[in-house]
Amino acid sequence: MSFIPLLQAAAGNPPQGSFLMTVLPFVLIIGIFYLFIIRPQNKKQKETEKMIAALKKGDKVITIGGIHGIVHQAKEKTVIIKVDDGTKIEFNRSAVASVITDKPTDVKPAKKSEKAKPSDQGEAEKEPAETPAADETAAQGESHE
């Protein structure tokens, strides 16, 4: 007895839409991979290429090996980094991991209740304090007088 005719009869005509149901999970997986893995990686690679191309003398950099220094000279394919007063090392541009930007220190303006002017202290004593920190500040201001 041959099983081939039985297998052919069992396979029969597949119901409509089974091809779509078979292919749809693969399409979704490829789409998710593109959105969450491939696209961000390409974007990061382009930013790194721009950063490496924009290296100039005086930039503070960190290499992929963890060496911190200042760009002394930028050549076509290499960069000479000044590590110490008399120490300069030549690296490939691709060995630069990041450029350090000096961020200015943000000085937050003092709250009115924390550093009250002499004319404001009388008003602060009349108004009830809203926060415990304001109570401590007011108590410190009174003890110093």
Side-chain angles (χ1 to χ4, degrees):
M1 181 166 187
S2 176
F3 289 104
I4 295 176
L6 290 175
L7 292 174
Q8 289 175 347
N13 292 332
Q16 293 267 337
S18 69
F19 177 74
L20 179 65
M21 296 306 287
T22 305
V23 173
L24 186 64
F26 293 112
V27 171
L28 287 175
I29 290 172
I30 291 170
I32 290 171
F33 266 88
Y34 176 77
L35 286 175
F36 291 111
I37 297 175
I38 298 169
R39 187 170 166 229
Q41 185 177 8
N42 287 342
K43 192 180 283 188
K44 185 176 180 181
Q45 184 177 3
K46 285 180 183 179
E47 289 174 6
T48 304
E49 288 173 1
K50 285 181 186 178
M51 183 258 317
I52 288 173
L55 284 176
K56 61 187 180 302
K57 184 176 182 177
D59 286 346
K60 294 181 181 179
V61 296
I62 301 174
T63 66
I64 56 175
I67 297 173
H68 293 243
I70 299 172
V71 175
H72 178 71
Q73 183 180 4
K75 297 179 181 178
E76 185 178 333
K77 293 186 179 184
T78 61
V79 176
I80 297 176
I81 298 176
K82 184 177 179 181
V83 180
D84 200 10
D85 290 333
T87 308
K88 296 174 189 158
I89 306 173
E90 188 169 3
F91 289 97
N92 287 336
R93 281 184 175 258
S94 61
V96 176
S98 63
V99 176
I100 301 171
T101 56
D102 291 330
K103 296 181 181 178
T105 55
D106 293 335
V107 179
K108 294 182 181 179
K111 292 181 182 177
K112 200 172 192 179
S113 63
E114 290 180 9
K115 291 191 176 181
K117 295 178 184 176
S119 62
D120 293 339
Q121 286 180 353
E123 293 175 12
E125 292 174 356
K126 292 177 187 175
E127 296 177 1
E130 295 177 4
T131 61
D135 288 336
E136 293 173 3
T137 306
Q140 290 175 356
E142 292 173 4
S143 64
H144 292 291
E145 291 177 6

